[in-house]
């Protein structure tokens, strides 16, 4: 199976380029492979962040929220000998 590709260029700071080069040497991979892995990981993370944001907005729109005061009380109790259980709706 042949995958179509596209060349994408970017100007990056020299210190970052040096780190990419060092990683490529350490892993015995090409700089292109390192950049492809890094970009794929970033895109995956960005897509997950976007999906979670949409899910959170849906929760708010549906009223599935926990009162801020309950969250604050729980968080403040975490350093106590007997912390409160996590708040639920």
């Amino acid at each position: 199976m042949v995958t179509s590709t596209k060349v994408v260029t970017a100007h990056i700071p020299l210190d970052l380029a040096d780190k990419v080069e060092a990683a490529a040497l350490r892993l015995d991979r090409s700089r292109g492979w390192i950049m492809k892995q890094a970009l794929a990981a970033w895109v995956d993370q960005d897509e997950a962040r976007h999906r979670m944001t949409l899910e959170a907005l849906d929760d708010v729109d549906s009223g599935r929220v926990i009162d801020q005061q309950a969250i604050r009380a729980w968080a403040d109790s975490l350093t106590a000998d007997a912390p409160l259980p996590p708040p639920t709706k």
Side-chain angles (χ1 to χ4, degrees), residues 4-37:
S4 297
T5 63
K6 181 177 183 177
V7 174
V8 178
T9 59
H11 291 269
I12 61 173
L14 289 176
D15 61 332
L16 181 57
D18 291 343
K19 291 178 182 180
V20 169
E21 181 72 28
L25 290 171
R26 185 178 70 252
L27 298 171
D28 195 25
R29 297 289 189 155
S30 69
R31 289 183 310 254
W33 185 88
I34 299 293
M35 296 301 294
K36 182 179 168 185
Q37 295 297 109

Side-chain angles (χ1 to χ4, degrees), residues 15-88:
D15 61 332
L16 181 57
D18 291 343
K19 291 178 182 180
V20 169
E21 181 72 28
L25 290 171
R26 185 178 70 252
L27 298 171
D28 195 25
R29 297 289 189 155
S30 69
R31 289 183 310 254
W33 185 88
I34 299 293
M35 296 301 294
K36 182 179 168 185
Q37 295 297 109
L39 187 56
W42 182 85
V43 168
D44 288 347
Q45 182 182 44
D46 184 63
E47 288 173 346
R49 184 180 309 115
H50 180 69
R51 185 188 74 255
M52 288 186 292
T53 298
L54 294 177
E55 289 170 2
L57 290 171
D58 184 54
D59 284 343
V60 170
D61 289 344
S62 299
R64 293 184 300 267
V65 296
I66 299 172
D67 182 70
Q68 180 181 359
Q69 291 174 333
I71 294 289
R72 185 176 304 269
W74 169 73
D76 290 344
S77 80
L78 292 177
T79 57
D81 290 335
L84 296 171
T88 59

